[in-house]
Amino acid sequence: MTGGSKRRPTSFDVAERAGVSQPTVSRALSGSPAIAEATRRKVIEAAEALGYFVDERAARLRRGSTGTLAVVVICREGDSASSINPFAYALLGSVCVAASERGFETLVSFQARAQDFFGHYQEQGRADGLVVIGTTTNAAAWEHFRGIESEGRKVAYWGSPFDELDWVRSDNRAAGRLAVEHLLAAGYRRPCFLGALNTPQVQFTERYEGYAEAMRAAGLEPCLAPTVNAATREEEGRRAARRLIERGEDIDAVFAACDAMALGAIEAFAAADLSVPHAVGVMGFDDLVAGRFSRPPLTTIAPDPAEAGGALVEAVLDEGEAARRRVPVRLIARGSTLRSG
């Protein structure tokens, strides 16, 4: 030893202290039933006294598993950490928790630029599978991850714009139906959907389809307030609401494709002296924390991040698990649609 550095103990040191062979140490610490319990205790006590820990990663690799699940969060190029959809963070945390409950660590990467795209963790022996989540606005990233699909790879996607991939999604059509049922029950008669269709954001289209189905079932004609690309979802919602106001559209409520758009719409209605919820009701989708503290608090439809995270981990790790799965949603009614509140 030089410079006062301390050598790490090895399994041979444990064997010497316990008075057994090195193979016995390996078998005892791996839980082999061939080792007597008294011998196992003696080995464990020797290992603890020396500060010896099993290299679990090496042990897993010998068993053909890395014990790691890779997670890629797709972002928009130029996004700061604070501008990423908070639901993505909630979903990421839920994936990490679900993986941990299965005994897996997680390797997390945020990817936005084409030169940084990477998904071959399984081929490199760095992970047993891959979960991809994030915004559909980064079309180049989704094309990259679509291209790495191959036989034997374990990948599951949240937010995928491509139906052929192994996706997990919210029950978006049910969300659209819930929105209409809630707004009509609250006394609104002309609710309009605010969002973009025929875009990579398949989830928005599905929410509109559920909305339109419920409107027609109630004998009402669907209404669409289309959004166009802007720097943020809030600005998209703000501009779409302004157009509704300027055109004098005969509507009394909006169901926005996401909470961020709904918050932008609330700002636009307030600027035009249209009170929410009395003159116009507003609701969204996602249950962002910001919506709980807006004025008025935002009615929303919420997917369950914990169930979504668990479903993604199951889709990757469980052989034969249904790869395409819908996560249930629930309505959270708040002040933005409660006229009596």
Side-chain angles (χ1 to χ4, degrees):
M1 292 185 291
T2 60
S5 62
K6 187 176 180 181
R7 181 177 66 84
R8 291 180 59 187
T10 69
S11 59
F12 291 96
D13 297 322
V14 177
E16 181 178 354
R17 185 180 182 96
V20 298
S21 67
Q22 190 274 338
T24 297
V25 169
S26 297
R27 288 194 290 268
L29 295 180
S30 67
S32 170
I35 302 299
E37 194 55 39
T39 301
R40 191 188 319 280
R41 283 198 301 270
K42 186 164 58 173
V43 170
I44 291 172
E45 289 170 2
E48 289 176 345
L50 291 171
Y52 173 79
F53 297 94
V54 175
D55 186 343
E56 185 61 31
R57 178 172 173 79
R60 281 173 167 163
L61 286 172
R62 287 194 294 273
R63 296 194 297 268
S65 169
T66 66
T68 298
L69 184 64
V71 187
V72 169
V73 181
I74 295 176
C75 315
R76 292 193 297 186
E77 189 165 356
D79 270 359
S80 65
S82 62
S83 61
I84 295 171
N85 186 337
F87 183 76
Y89 286 119
L91 185 54
L92 171 61
S94 296
V95 169
C96 292
V97 169
S100 179
E101 290 173 348
R102 299 284 297 269
F104 281 75
E105 296 179 333
T106 43
L107 173 63
V108 178
S109 172
F110 288 76
Q111 300 185 22
R113 301 181 305 168
Q115 57 266 43
D116 296 333
F117 296 158
F118 181 78
H120 295 284
Y121 298 94
Q122 192 175 336
E123 292 87 339
Q124 288 193 348
R126 299 169 64 191
D128 287 358
L130 173 64
V131 170
V132 181
I133 63 179
T135 176
T136 56
T137 57
N138 192 331
W142 283 105
E143 285 292 348
H144 170 83
F145 285 98
R146 181 190 203 179
I148 67 174
E149 280 290 296
S150 63
E151 188 71 26
R153 298 192 80 250
K154 300 178 180 178
V155 192
Y157 303 82
W158 179 277
S160 166
F162 305 117
D163 278 338
E164 76 270 16
L165 300 181
D166 291 338
W167 48 257
V168 176
R169 290 178 185 160
S170 300
D171 194 341
N172 294 300
R173 291 183 180 85
R177 293 191 294 269
L178 270 177
V180 171
E181 290 165 5
H182 169 73
L183 291 170
L184 295 183
Y188 299 101
R189 289 294 173 261
R190 299 177 302 281
C192 190
F193 182 87
L194 189 151
L197 305 183
N198 302 318
T199 72
Q201 185 59 278
V202 175
Q203 291 85 341
F204 288 3
T205 301
E206 291 179 343
R207 287 166 207 165
Y208 173 78
E209 290 169 351
Y211 153 86
E213 176 185 315
M215 288 287 284
R216 294 189 181 103
L220 300 171
E221 190 64 27
C223 162
L224 175 64
T227 57
V228 295
N229 287 338
T232 65
R233 294 293 192 196
E234 289 87 352
E235 183 60 25
E236 289 180 18
R238 197 176 295 118
R239 292 180 182 179
R242 282 179 191 150
R243 282 195 297 273
L244 283 174
I245 296 165
E246 291 166 358
R247 295 174 183 174
E249 296 284 353
D250 185 26
I251 63 104
D252 61 0
V254 295
F255 168 45
C258 65
D259 278 359
M261 289 180 180
L263 293 171
I266 286 178
E267 289 182 10
F269 291 133
D273 292 326
L274 292 171
S275 67
V276 176
H278 300 291
V280 59
V282 179
M283 66 183 297
F285 182 102
D286 276 333
D287 191 25
L288 299 186
V289 172
R292 304 174 196 178
F293 300 102
S294 62
R295 294 188 179 182
L298 180 65
T299 293
T300 190
I301 294 176
D304 184 341
E307 183 160 350
L312 286 163
V313 171
E314 288 175 6
V316 172
L317 298 180
D318 292 347
E319 294 291 339
E321 183 69 22
R324 297 174 184 175
R325 177 172 163 183
R326 297 281 181 183
V327 175
V329 295
R330 64 189 177 96
L331 173 75
I332 302 174
R334 300 193 183 107
S336 67
T337 58
L338 300 178
R339 284 170 161 166
S340 60

